[in-house]
Amino acid sequence: MSLPIPLTVRLRTSRGSRDITREVRDLSIRWTDPGGYATCQVSLDRPLTVQPWEIAYYGDLTVHDGRHGGVVWDGRLEDPGRSAGTQGQVWDLAAVGGQAHTRDRTVPLIYIDNPLTSLDRVDNATPKGDDSVATDPGTNASQQQALVLQYPQGITIVTNARVVMRYLGIQQAGQKLARVDHTWDTGRTDSAFQVESLCRTDGSLASGEVARSDNWTTAGGGSSPRRIGTHWTAGRNTVEWRTIYTGVGGAINNDLHWASVSNMLAMATRYTAAGVEQLTGTPYGNSYVLAHEVVADLLGRLLSAFDGAGATIASTTHPIDQLAYPDGVDSARVLDDLMTLEAGFTWRAWERNAAGKYRFEWVQLPTTVRYEADLLDGYESQGSADGLHNSVTVRWRDSKGRPRTTTRTSSVPELDAAGLPRQGSIDLGSDVGSTSAANRVGDQWLADRRYAPNAGRLRVARPILDLQTGRMVQPWEIRPGLIRVRGILPRPDALNPAAGRDGVTIMRIVGGEYRASDGAATLDLDSYAPSTARLLAATRAKIRLIRR
């Protein structure tokens, strides 16, 4: 049988393409926000005795709108299942959209790191000095965490005696250094001793290096960053922090011969969205990274199936001072972390262009109503006050690798009125962690849980008004945006108009599923509908977090 709606289905492999619409028994397509095209399931009436050439692992499956040829869904086959029974012989094809590509590659990835926990002792034999990670011992210091390099009292030192620690995280991730910085303090003023940072290639010092070198003084020294292209040529991947003695030698007669190095920073080079590695100092003018810079790097470095050059990437402003995944990460996890820091943004992967690249967008969440709908085709709400919280504990790791917790609070009208404290928890793991990040994540998590959401599932089986295009659209054409559903008494949450409670409520569409046999789309409003699949996915995510 053919589809009772104007949609066409096409399969494509290296051997060619074929329109299979006339054999389709049923069709179900789904998208999510964030994510874009998610899954597509197609049932075919076709005998099982022959392996069709157009059905193959990772072959292409595209659904078009037969009226104008526009793409309704696009992705790749993963599970070409088969079955036989009272309904006859059926091929059950399952495909995934472009968002699945964000989980294709897992690699170590460093963007910006405070490397106190990742230092290796090297070259300390002339003579052997002491190194430790401790609080800055200076009398005027803020007692912050620092790398303390010391010549112990009672030893005799010679010219070029040094204590050296090396950071290998960027080298081990297969990346290159882009920016290095630190502040420092010392126990005495003595120009025969220096605090230095040197950038090397695989541990070897090449020509052209412009090291940072400061004479010891109890006044200490502040930020003075070194950058690729200005202070070294591209290719350096390790950095050393050291103290060195340049005098004629002698005995260490007190315990003030120490230097502490703090606020250490190592930043790796990034790629443009078009796949060009940035090897000059211009892109690394700040001691932090921005979410949109990381998104562009993912496109240029890992997401080769996306059209990076043509991607839409909205700018962000929050400075990220720690973002490192030495144990490996996929793009999906990085994008999730970025959205915890920039809660007003989302990402989506859509149809492929003529070159076979998925269209990608990193954009702000919608703020204006796009669709107008009503309850004629069905509505159900699973909204619950169970999601309300007025405090949250954020677990993270500091630069010394120690578990830390930060507690944030907010005012929640319903909980305050009931005198009920409800505290949630967030675990940032060991990859994304700093005080500022913990504060921001906690505050944004609470902002999303100040009001009970107008959560629900809306069934749409007829055309509705799309204010963005100014036309009536079919259920399969509905995409992410805000929808006003008439006939629901709204709750006073952040998405409702200030006037509120006028019988009109506004909700965000976070997912949609269209099934041809029903001729209707089911929209997830404000939050995904509970399902066994989502519960299993959340459980797997928690297991991965525990293992890390």
Side-chain angles (χ1 to χ4, degrees), residues 253-273:
N253 55 13
N254 58 48
D255 61 1
L256 298 178
H257 289 73
W258 56 262
S260 68
V261 184
S262 54
N263 297 315
M264 304 159 74
L265 176 154
M267 183 182 295
T269 58
R270 299 187 298 271
Y271 283 76
T272 66

Side-chain angles (χ1 to χ4, degrees), residues 23-26 42-48 55 80-93:
E23 302 169 87
V24 174
R25 170 180 292 187
D26 197 6
V42 180
S43 298
L44 296 181
D45 286 314
R46 141 176 322 194
L48 308 182
I55 297 178
R82 294 173 287 182
S83 64
T86 57
Q87 299 298 315
Q89 297 183 9
V90 178
W91 285 75
D92 294 310
L93 308 183

